[in-house]
Amino acid sequence: MFYQETIAAIATSSKNGSISVIRVSGETSIESVNKIFVNKKGESIHLEKRESHTIHYGFIRDEKNEWVDEVLVLIMRAPRSYTAEDVVEIHCHGGYFICQLILDLLVRQGVRVAEPGEFTKRAFLNGRIDLSQAESVMDVIQSKSRLALGNSMSQLRGRVKEEIIHLREIILNDLAFLEAALDDPEHISLEDFPERAREHALQLKERVDHLIANSQNGRLVKEGIRTVIVGKPNVGKSSFLNCLLREDRAIVTDIAGTTRDTLEEEMTIGSVLLRLIDTAGIRDTEDAIEKIGIEKAMKSVESADFVICILDGSRELTEEDRIVLERVREYPGVVLLNKCDLELKISEEEIPFADCKKIFPFSAANGTGLEKLEQYLLEIFYQEKISYNDEIYITNMRQKQELVNTAESLNQLIGSIDGGMPEDLYSIDLYNAYEALGKIIGETVEDDIADKIFKDFCMGK
Ligand code: GDP
């Protein structure tokens, strides 16, 4: 154990809820809570004598022996706890004031208020989790879709760690062999080594490159697919948004031009998170293109991952529709033939550039087509549902950068081998690749970097 000091923090959200949890961790955690905790007869129940993973009902009292709150106290002894230290959780009534009062009482027992992320940092420093798992904790908390949660959970369970350990082992074997051979050239021959090391480096690089490429998907999983909705007025853009939201956040109306502002909303289709940008709004112009809001839309389209082009399927195709379709032709996306609950007046063959985009009959009024759209998004962005396949999607920029550094070192190694450089040079590149991978799981991470990582955590985690 690295830390002796006992720390405490309110682990639940600061908004008033029905209960709140105060987490206490460290050597004196049980003893400290025991001093402020009594049963309904006002007597101490000697928490220090109680078994691990037990729950106790009672009251928190202050120095004047006045009862502050009715609580449940959970004891989790080291190492079977979140931090791998002795942990006590006090479940009190929700409410910022009560929590602060209890926290103050603990501080008076010599407990220090925890810094953001300090509990998770202790779990890391005590060796219960590696750095990639620690970083996934906040991703789990902040995940906004089933897919993002599935991915963060798989990282929390150590999928990234396992993969990185495996890659490092391959490097370490070569490194160890090389060092041994350089030390003892009489007995260990390096004759086949360059070829073998090159083969390994290529395999490793393929895997690392794949992880880097997947991190693009990781961003989409974590932050959502930046999606722009385009279409002339009245085709049902706002209704589409509302259909996803299941609430009237965007203004829906039959009068063209009432959706004034660009809206950006996060919402899910099934397990897929979309960051939707509604570009409707510009009507006060005589310019035909601006009239349908397409110029404004195009600015968003350029930075979008996906474009949803909506047509009113219950009316004939118009010149305005053609302009919209042409402008988004080159961008990945779909065409929705909206209002398919009414008689469709547009056939798929009529749609210009139909070969560039998938076309779905859709109804924002009753949700027809939503499931197919989700299926399509899963197919093109994630191949399959992430939670059910073996892929690893690195979502963390720091981890991605270390993968890039690893790939660079491997490239240098391959270059040195191809250039017929002396073998003793290889160890530098091998070592650099080994170290960069180690930083992902926190094996070789410097203290200041660890501090920076945990600072971004919320209080009580
Ligand atoms: P926007 O200008 O593209 O945002 O279009 P709106 O969402 O404001 O919709 C225009 C009109 O079409 C409204 O009267 C909606 O109720 C109607 N509408 C939208 N989607 C559908 C649909 O799927 N079916 C039917 N029947 N009407 C729809």
Side-chain angles (χ1 to χ4, degrees):
M1 299 282 167
F2 287 78
Y3 285 84
Q4 298 302 322
E5 235 177 336
T6 295
I7 52 170
I10 303 164
T12 36
S13 147
S14 59
K15 293 192 188 106
N16 283 352
S18 57
I19 61 164
S20 289
V21 176
I22 295 164
R23 185 184 258 165
V24 195
S25 178
E27 234 171 288
T28 63
S29 59
I30 300 176
E31 178 191 321
S32 306
V33 175
N34 188 56
K35 287 190 187 142
I36 61 168
F37 179 73
V38 289
N39 65 12
K40 62 179 169 197
K41 292 183 194 150
E43 299 158 347
S44 166
I45 67 156
H46 299 288
L47 289 172
E48 70 282 1
K49 292 187 187 152
R50 305 293 167 152
E51 280 185 28
S52 183
H53 291 76
T54 52
I55 305 172
H56 306 276
Y57 168 76
F59 299 83
I60 299 293
R61 61 161 184 204
D62 63 15
E63 286 99 338
K64 291 183 206 139
N65 222 1
E66 276 177 31
W67 289 4
V68 173
D69 196 13
E70 184 185 30
V71 299
L72 287 175
V73 166
L74 279 64
I75 299 175
M76 286 153 281
R77 290 186 190 275
R80 291 170 55 214
S81 74
Y82 187 75
T83 54
E85 301 171 337
D86 281 349
V87 168
V88 181
E89 281 180 9
I90 303 171
H91 291 219
C92 59
H93 282 108
Y96 190 67
F97 182 68
I98 296 174
C99 291
Q100 278 301 330
L101 218 54
I102 298 175
L103 204 54
D104 281 351
L105 289 174
L106 286 167
V107 168
R108 275 180 250 155
Q109 300 302 325
V111 172
R112 174 170 66 72
V113 175
E115 287 159 21
E118 200 171 0
F119 293 100
T120 311
K121 186 176 179 183
R122 287 191 176 193
F124 165 61
L125 292 173
N126 290 331
R128 195 182 68 76
I129 53 174
D130 82 312
L131 202 53
S132 70
Q133 288 171 302
E135 282 174 325
S136 66
V137 169
M138 283 312 286
D139 290 344
V140 166
I141 294 172
Q142 289 166 354
S143 55
K144 292 168 188 153
S145 72
R146 188 72 191 82
L147 222 49
L149 177 61
N151 187 47
S152 305
M153 273 310 291
S154 110
Q155 292 183 12
L156 183 59
R157 292 174 66 188
R159 284 281 290 124
V160 173
K161 176 172 89 174
E162 283 164 24
E163 173 84 11
I164 299 300
I165 287 174
H166 170 67
L167 299 179
R168 287 184 99 211
E169 252 168 32
I170 299 172
I171 299 176
L172 193 60
N173 278 339
D174 282 351
L175 198 53
F177 183 85
L178 178 62
E179 296 291 342
L182 290 172
D183 270 358
D184 188 5
E186 279 180 31
H187 294 102
I188 307 174
S189 159
L190 277 174
E191 202 184 332
D192 306 334
F193 182 75
E195 201 180 315
R196 201 168 63 234
R198 188 179 191 282
E199 186 60 29
H200 287 164
L202 282 176
Q203 283 168 10
L204 287 165
K205 216 181 100 51
E206 191 182 335
R207 192 59 201 145
V208 169
D209 284 345
H210 180 70
L211 288 174
I212 295 170
N214 255 1
S215 69
Q216 167 65 5
N217 276 342
R219 177 184 70 81
L220 297 175
V221 170
K222 187 167 154 182
E223 291 167 18
I225 302 166
R226 266 183 70 87
T227 307
V228 174
I229 304 167
V230 294
K232 67 176 184 191
N234 256 4
V235 291
K237 296 183 295 296
S238 311
S239 308
F240 173 73
L241 270 174
N242 287 337
C243 169
L244 298 183
L245 275 171
R246 307 260 185 268
E247 61 174 88
D248 288 342
R249 201 161 326 164
I251 310 153
V252 186
T253 165
D254 331 358
I255 307 157
T258 47
T259 316
R260 296 250 172 249
D261 297 308
T262 300
L263 293 166
E264 186 167 338
E265 301 278 359
E266 283 179 345
M267 57 201 88
T268 54
I269 299 184
S271 51
V272 182
L273 177 69
L274 301 183
R275 291 184 67 81
L276 277 176
I277 303 140
D278 179 11
T279 56
I282 299 183
R283 310 279 188 269
D284 50 357
T285 167
E286 287 309 307
D287 182 296
I289 294 173
E290 282 201 16
K291 232 180 189 166
I292 51 177
I294 193 71
E295 281 315 338
K296 193 176 179 189
M298 285 313 291
K299 284 199 182 68
S300 312
V301 166
E302 278 155 27
S303 62
D305 302 309
F306 197 68
V307 179
I308 296 179
C309 182
I310 303 187
L311 304 178
D312 182 344
S314 70
R315 288 160 192 260
E316 309 276 328
L317 204 67
T318 66
E319 190 47 35
E320 291 173 322
D321 290 322
R322 285 180 220 278
I323 294 171
V324 174
L325 282 164
E326 170 150 24
R327 296 299 292 269
V328 300
R329 180 181 181 176
E330 303 298 332
Y331 299 93
V334 290
V335 176
L336 300 186
L337 278 183
N338 192 34
K339 312 196 189 180
C340 75
D341 50 299
L342 306 174
E343 191 194 339
L344 280 185
K345 298 254 175 64
I346 303 177
S347 68
E348 290 192 14
E349 298 76 52
E350 260 179 278
I351 297 174
F353 325 116
D355 51 331
C356 308
K357 300 226 176 359
K358 190 122 176 132
I359 299 162
F360 293 103
F362 197 90
S363 168
N366 63 23
T368 303
L370 254 190
E371 224 170 281
K372 287 219 169 91
L373 185 59
E374 178 198 7
Q375 210 48 49
Y376 183 67
L377 288 168
L378 283 171
E379 249 169 56
I380 62 164
F381 284 105
Y382 313 114
Q383 291 90 45
E384 295 171 54
K385 294 196 184 198
I386 284 169
S387 35
Y388 304 128
N389 73 15
D390 261 358
E391 282 290 356
I392 296 173
Y393 295 87
I394 300 275
T395 50
N396 182 291
M397 286 313 287
R398 187 194 69 82
Q399 295 176 17
K400 184 184 170 189
Q401 186 52 48
E402 296 304 343
L403 286 173
V404 171
N405 296 345
T406 308
E408 264 170 30
S409 297
L410 292 170
N411 272 338
Q412 284 191 0
L413 174 64
I414 295 165
S416 302
I417 297 173
D418 290 346
M421 306 294 263
E423 280 99 352
D424 55 350
L425 279 184
Y426 304 168
S427 65
I428 300 170
D429 298 326
L430 278 169
Y431 184 76
N432 285 345
Y434 184 76
E435 199 176 50
L437 287 174
K439 284 183 182 167
I440 295 177
I441 54 175
E443 284 281 315
T444 52
V445 78
E446 295 87 8
D447 283 353
D448 52 338
I449 296 184
D451 284 348
K452 189 173 167 299
I453 290 166
F454 289 105
K455 268 207 189 81
D456 293 338
F457 275 59
C458 52
M459 285 300 278
K461 250 298 168 197

